[in-house]
């Protein structure tokens, strides 16, 4: 199964745990990560850092929405 993760990673550990869970789940291919609430790009940077720590730096990461729509 191909999965794209959209996340607000970096504020607390739950999103980092979800990312690592997806990377280790049999039959799951993580194809990309986007971040939300990321005006300065720190969340995207955190996602790239976590991916590089586990040797998966080739997964695409993009900074997404800067604010909420509401």
């Amino acid at each position: 199964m191909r999965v794209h993760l959209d996340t607000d990673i970096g504020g607390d550990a739950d999103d980092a745990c979800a990312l690592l869970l997806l990377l280790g789940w049999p039959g799951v291919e993580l194809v990309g990560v986007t971040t939300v609430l990321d005006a300065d790009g720190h969340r995207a940077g955190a996602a790239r850092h976590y991916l590089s720590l586990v040797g998966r730096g080739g997964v695409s990461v993009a900074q997404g929405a800067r604010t909420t729509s509401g």
Side-chain angles (χ1 to χ4, degrees), residues 9 35 38 40-52 61 63:
I9 200 166
T35 59
D38 197 6
D40 55 12
H42 288 186
R43 295 183 192 279
R48 285 187 192 96
H49 178 69
Y50 296 144
L51 288 165
S52 71
V61 177
Q63 177 182 340

Side-chain angles (χ1 to χ4, degrees), residues 17-47:
C17 291
L19 174 63
L20 295 174
L21 177 74
L22 287 172
L23 291 171
W25 200 282
V28 169
E29 176 190 2
L30 183 63
V31 297
V33 177
T34 51
T35 59
V36 296
L37 302 173
D38 197 6
D40 55 12
H42 288 186
R43 295 183 192 279

